[in-house]
Amino acid sequence: MSKQKAWLAFIFVALWAAVCQAETVQVQHGGDTFVSGGTISQTLDSSGDAFVTGRRVVAGGTSQGDLHVTGFDLTINTNAGEDLYAAGASVDVRGTVAHDLTAAGFSVRTAPSAETAGNVRLFGNTLTIEGPVSGALSAVGMDVILNAPVAGDARLLAKSISFGPDAVIGGTLTYSTEEKIAVPERVAPAARVVFEEVELSDAWDEWEGVRKEMPVLPGFASVFFGFLISLLFFVVLGALMLTFMPRRLERMRSSVAAAPGKSIVLGILGLALVFGMVPITAMTIVGLPFVPIAILAIFVFWTLAYALGAYSVAMWVFGAIGGGEEPGNVTRLLVFAGAICVIALLNFIPFVGWVANYTLVLLGMGAMTHALFHAMLGSPDVALDVDMKPIEGRET
């Protein structure tokens, strides 16, 4: 199962759980496991990758593939067979990681039981490293506390750095603080300690040094690879929509073609409703934990609207230049992929690219808003026709 398909399924599961709010939803697909809900206490047993999201997550068990965990308060007891990725306000990693560990949060901690066979990359305000690291360690935060053995090199960027009794660095320690600190000999001998003074204005440059330690491609190759991933994602999304909801997709596309102006107006209304979920949810106080889910919903609806708008315009252009009236799904996907490529090129034109992208989002959002109103209220156009028809024998 590709990463793009996996993340798409994960988004759908997360949105379903957001509708159910308190209910935990678990789906098995292609060997991967998807879990989403409000408060989750789950023992995983995944033969592939595992994706877990919730306001509060307590995860155990094992994941034979990669493990992805997001939420507000995360306690990860799961043993990851490959990489572990975690992001939240509070992240507590207690399980073992067979490859690399990457985590970000306001407070991030790796417990003594969290042994990592590869590299560890941590980002946040307070970072506490107590789990042994067999590879290299990269930590960027306000306060970094190292109390674990690190077999490889360590690079630390922080306002304050402290070392516990179990801190031992087998490679070179490179640290960056505003002032030089005393590194105990038991942690690393002076010959293997490098101090790089940092000021707030130099923080970004130091971050670039940390980032370069991670496996990345050169600039142009990174952009091109990112485009290919995005193109593949949208093609997979289009294939799913054409397979599972072809009639509904055709109705929404037709509504854009029939009245693009009305779709743009409805798109503005739809975006206002979606973005309005964040402050309204926060104002209820009890809904504060669901604000991240509301933000996720904005991202999902924006992406779907963009794809629908691009597909609608592409099919209109295809028909205008003499394309078949009923093209097959393969042809539709090729036309859609071509539209994504053209739009990507437009992004290199200042202002024009932004206007084109935003217009597509409004068109797609308008079609989805029209479909929603139609499902909730019926067809307003038919009702208008009935109301405006004069009654015979009565003066109008």
Side-chain angles (χ1 to χ4, degrees), residues 110-158:
T110 63
S113 58
E115 298 184 10
T116 302
N119 297 336
V120 172
R121 306 151 186 146
L122 304 179
F123 312 91
N125 184 70
T126 302
L127 308 177
T128 304
I129 304 104
E130 296 181 317
V133 180
S134 298
L137 169 66
S138 298
V140 179
M142 183 66 69
D143 301 302
V144 175
I145 304 168
L146 177 60
N147 187 31
V150 178
D153 297 335
R155 177 178 284 270
L156 309 178
L157 169 61

Side-chain angles (χ1 to χ4, degrees), residues 39-357:
T39 299
I40 300 174
S41 180
Q42 199 82 8
T43 300
L44 302 176
D45 185 11
S46 176
S47 59
D49 297 340
F51 301 80
V52 184
T53 183
R55 176 175 55 84
R56 183 174 185 272
V57 177
V58 179
T62 60
S63 173
Q64 299 300 326
D66 294 336
L67 175 61
H68 309 77
V69 187
T70 61
F72 188 81
D73 185 7
L74 310 179
T75 302
I76 306 170
N77 297 302
T78 308
N79 296 323
E82 294 186 10
D83 297 333
L84 168 60
Y85 303 91
S90 174
V91 180
D92 188 2
V93 180
R94 302 179 182 178
T96 60
V97 181
H99 288 174
D100 297 336
L101 164 63
T102 303
F106 186 81
S107 173
V108 180
R109 172 180 177 263
T110 63
S113 58
E115 298 184 10
T116 302
N119 297 336
V120 172
R121 306 151 186 146
L122 304 179
F123 312 91
N125 184 70
T126 302
L127 308 177
T128 304
I129 304 104
E130 296 181 317
V133 180
S134 298
L137 169 66
S138 298
V140 179
M142 183 66 69
D143 301 302
V144 175
I145 304 168
L146 177 60
N147 187 31
V150 178
D153 297 335
R155 177 178 284 270
L156 309 178
L157 169 61
K159 183 176 181 180
S160 69
I161 300 174
S162 58
F163 301 97
D166 296 330
V168 178
I169 298 175
T172 299
L173 167 62
T174 304
Y175 74 94
S176 298
T177 55
E178 292 183 345
E179 296 180 356
K180 194 172 183 179
I181 63 174
V183 178
E185 284 286 330
R186 59 178 176 81
V187 175
R192 288 194 281 109
V193 176
V194 178
F195 168 64
E196 296 179 356
E197 185 176 0
V198 62
E199 298 179 359
L200 293 179
S201 59
D202 299 329
W204 178 250
D205 295 334
E206 294 298 326
W207 156 245
E208 284 295 311
V210 176
R211 183 185 65 82
K212 289 178 180 178
E213 292 184 357
M214 303 180 188
V216 295
L217 296 173
F220 175 78
S222 296
V223 173
F224 182 70
F225 181 73
F227 165 73
L228 291 180
I229 293 297
S230 300
L231 178 61
L232 179 60
F233 168 80
F234 282 111
V235 170
V236 170
L237 177 60
L240 289 174
M241 297 300 101
L242 287 171
T243 301
F244 295 105
M245 48 182 295
R247 294 182 180 178
R248 184 171 301 176
L249 180 63
E250 182 60 24
R251 286 197 296 268
M252 291 190 290
R253 185 198 66 80
S254 298
S255 69
V256 173
K262 183 172 72 173
S263 292
I264 290 178
V265 174
L266 287 175
I268 296 174
L269 176 61
L271 282 181
L273 292 174
V274 173
F275 278 90
M277 290 192 304
V278 176
I280 294 300
T281 302
M283 288 172 62
T284 62
I285 305 301
V286 296
L288 280 173
F290 300 102
V291 169
I293 297 179
I295 296 175
L296 174 64
I298 293 174
F299 170 77
V300 172
F301 283 119
W302 185 282
T303 303
L304 292 177
Y306 174 82
L308 178 58
Y311 173 74
S312 301
V313 173
M315 292 306 300
W316 179 82
V317 173
F318 180 72
I321 61 177
E325 295 183 0
E326 295 293 335
N329 286 346
V330 175
T331 302
R332 292 174 184 268
L333 281 177
L334 291 176
V335 172
F336 178 51
I340 296 297
C341 294
V342 172
I343 297 167
L345 293 176
L346 289 178
N347 288 329
F348 290 97
I349 304 177
F351 185 72
V352 174
W354 177 84
V355 171
N357 281 273

